[in-house]
Amino acid sequence: MALAPGLAGETPGSAELPAAIDALRRERKAVILAHYYQENAIQDIADYIGDSLELARRAASTEAEVIVFCGVHFMAETAKILNPDKIVLLPDLDAGCSLADACPADSFARFRAEHPDHFVVSYINCSAAVKAQSDLICTSSNAVQLVQQLPADRPILFAPDQNLGRWVSRQSGRELTLWPGSCMVHDSFSEQALLELQLEYPEAEVIAHPECEQHLLDLADFIGSTSKLLQRAQTSDASRFIVLTEPGILHQMRQRVPNKTFHEVPGADGCSCNACPYMRLNTMEKLWHCLATMGPAIELDDAIRERALRPIQRMLAMSA
Ligand code: 13P
Ligand code: SF4
């Protein structure tokens, strides 16, 4: 698609990018949705910031003609499933997810076939083709609540995150048959670095995303989705926090409670692998570019989209 009228083909300089993106957003009648793991500048310019559930709800209710999803592919795909007639843009089409990649649709079909009597609950961090094979979608903020609503006599398959599944099983008291996937970011936090931070700041509250490995969750004072971690930072009496999730969330924490102190936990061996390499593929330049060119856009096979829609709608209804 052509550039918006009046726009030169050259990317504006970084100082001009926010105004240029804002002008294009108005011209395209677009809404910008951003996940908490996006770089700070993208969070600052977004119309809405949220966790996976909040962003799916926004995508379901928006009247905008164009949705720019500053997040990863499965999130933009969910927005497209909910809005087949709208244009859904993802600034970088390579912004995938190691968890979604760990569950290929054909292997998942075999797994389901081995458990024909099971109710299939899939974490939203999966492809549309896996959603299409699921009975119910959940996110980390509603998974416990949804699993508790399922008939007690029905066995449950849970995919693709085994760490989240194990935590949901403990919280809900339901036995879950788990797909053996995990997130490369939440698998990377260094327990040694966490213990050292706890020694240095014994008063700090440790707050963790349920995608973290069990040995880290065992050290946490509070466990929840990104939005719940943000709420906890605001409502807890603690004034210092050690945060076991992608450090993009610290931007919102520091903005909302500037008088509190937040520490990220590095990856093992001090690597910066605690930053999601997929989320961080989106940049302000690419956000401008996708609004200017109206691409890359998410496209989906109709049959998969229709089958994937039902378990998402069921989730939205059950967690209303
Ligand atoms: P939330 O639903 O908590 O935002 O999690 C999304 C995600 O990808 C975590 O890695
Ligand atoms: Fe996927 Fe992990 Fe990145 Fe979340 S943090 S998008 S689960 S790879």
Side-chain angles (χ1 to χ4, degrees), residues 54-317:
E54 289 162 343
L55 294 176
R57 284 194 178 125
R58 286 284 174 197
S61 64
T62 185
E63 288 180 2
E65 292 170 13
V66 176
I67 299 172
V68 184
F69 215 115
C70 296
V72 289
H73 194 272
F74 74 81
M75 296 179 176
E77 218 174 40
T78 303
K80 183 68 178 176
I81 292 167
L82 289 161
N83 295 283
D85 299 328
K86 292 186 177 176
I87 296 172
V88 178
L89 304 173
L90 179 62
D92 190 321
L93 216 46
D94 289 332
C97 168
S98 66
L99 198 42
D101 290 348
C103 190
D106 51 351
S107 316
F108 188 61
R110 286 194 290 278
F111 185 61
R112 280 179 54 238
E114 287 161 17
H115 304 87
D117 54 337
H118 284 52
F119 190 88
V120 180
V121 181
S122 294
Y123 187 31
I124 199 165
N125 297 35
C126 64
S127 66
V130 167
K131 289 185 176 76
Q133 300 180 51
S134 306
D135 297 308
L136 177 64
I137 300 303
C138 69
T139 76
S140 55
S141 73
N142 62 16
V144 174
Q145 177 199 355
L146 297 189
V147 164
Q148 280 170 333
Q149 291 177 56
L150 300 180
D153 58 351
R154 187 87 191 266
I156 302 169
L157 276 191
F158 189 93
D161 188 353
Q162 59 183 336
N163 293 329
L164 174 67
R166 210 174 291 117
W167 178 73
V168 171
S169 175
R170 287 184 176 197
Q171 296 294 307
S172 64
R174 295 294 302 266
E175 195 178 317
L176 305 178
T177 301
L178 304 175
W179 175 270
S182 57
C183 157
M184 63 190 287
V185 175
H186 290 82
D187 265 0
S188 80
F189 296 114
S190 159
E191 181 172 348
Q192 182 62 29
L194 170 61
L195 293 171
E196 284 167 14
L197 279 166
Q198 283 186 295
L199 262 183
E200 194 173 351
Y201 306 110
E203 80 286 10
E205 191 171 296
V206 178
I207 59 177
H209 195 281
E211 284 179 19
C212 290
E213 291 177 308
Q214 188 61 51
H215 65 104
L216 296 172
L217 294 181
D218 288 342
L219 296 169
D221 301 302
F222 179 86
I223 299 167
S225 72
T226 49
S227 283
K228 290 191 176 165
L229 298 183
L230 191 52
Q231 277 165 22
R232 179 72 186 177
Q234 292 169 272
T235 56
S236 164
D237 290 338
S239 58
R240 189 183 290 279
F241 296 83
I242 300 170
V243 184
L244 278 162
T245 195
E246 215 271 3
I249 186 81
L250 269 60
H251 183 52
Q252 291 303 315
M253 291 175 173
R254 289 177 176 140
Q255 277 191 341
R256 296 186 198 190
V257 269
N259 55 329
K260 297 189 178 183
T261 307
F262 300 94
H263 301 272
E264 62 181 90
V265 181
D269 306 323
C271 70
S272 58
C273 39
N274 60 352
C276 175
Y278 299 107
M279 287 276 183
R280 302 306 176 121
L281 283 176
N282 296 325
T283 60
M284 288 288 276
E285 286 80 3
K286 290 177 193 171
L287 171 53
W288 175 85
H289 191 263
C290 83
L291 275 164
T293 62
M294 296 297 273
I298 302 290
E299 303 293 345
L300 276 173
D301 174 85
D302 278 345
I304 289 184
R305 189 196 72 75
E306 279 163 25
R307 277 187 281 131
L309 179 61
R310 274 174 290 174
I312 296 173
Q313 284 179 325
R314 191 179 271 165
M315 167 186 81
L316 293 174

